Amino acid sequence: MSQFKRELTIEWGDCDDAGIVFYPNFFYWFDSTFQGLLRSKGLSQREIRSRFNAVTPLVDVGANFRSPVTYDDVITIDATVSEWAERRLRVAYTVKCGERLVATGFELRAWAQVVGEGRLKGAAIPDEFKAFFSQEDVAQ
């Protein structure tokens, strides 16, 4: 079940010398899509910091590339929170160009309280935060 979907057109600068998307761009797009997912729930990184005194740093990330995409292709990235743990959440991504599977990926994000002078300490994810993801999307 997709919780957020975004579409983007591949730009010339997204491609390498072979004319296909340079793979690190997928990780940027995953992060950008996560930020869009947060916004669709009425949140942002600033709001999380303000409301919960927390941040969601990456602790693991991965991708499987199935099919190349090139300049002017239009891709769709679907994101969903696929797993909740006490102190972490896993976000799963599916990237398609039309019906063609391009890539799958994930981000494992920790929940970390901001303590002291900007130091981070792992903490349990509040139920209030999790509740945002059981609501219908505010906007996509």
Side-chain angles (χ1 to χ4, degrees), residues 19-101:
I20 61 172
V21 167
F22 186 48
Y23 77 91
N25 289 321
F26 284 90
F27 298 105
Y28 172 75
W29 295 331
F30 291 167
D31 182 68
S32 297
T33 301
F34 178 70
Q35 304 312 317
L37 170 60
L38 289 177
R39 286 184 187 98
S40 78
K41 304 299 182 182
L43 294 169
S44 69
Q45 291 295 340
R46 286 188 178 110
E47 179 68 18
I48 292 169
R49 179 87 180 244
S50 172
R51 183 182 292 212
F52 301 102
N53 192 38
V55 293
T56 59
L58 287 170
V59 295
D60 195 10
V61 63
N64 290 302
F65 303 103
R66 305 291 185 198
S67 177
V69 285
T70 60
Y71 175 63
D72 270 347
D73 282 344
V74 177
I75 61 172
T76 303
I77 303 172
D78 285 307
T80 189
V81 177
S82 61
E83 184 181 324
W84 292 99
E86 181 184 1
R87 296 171 176 240
R88 295 184 177 169
L89 63 142
R90 184 181 181 96
V91 184
Y93 299 95
T94 303
V95 184
K96 290 186 173 183
C97 183
E99 292 300 313
R100 178 173 47 97
L101 180 63

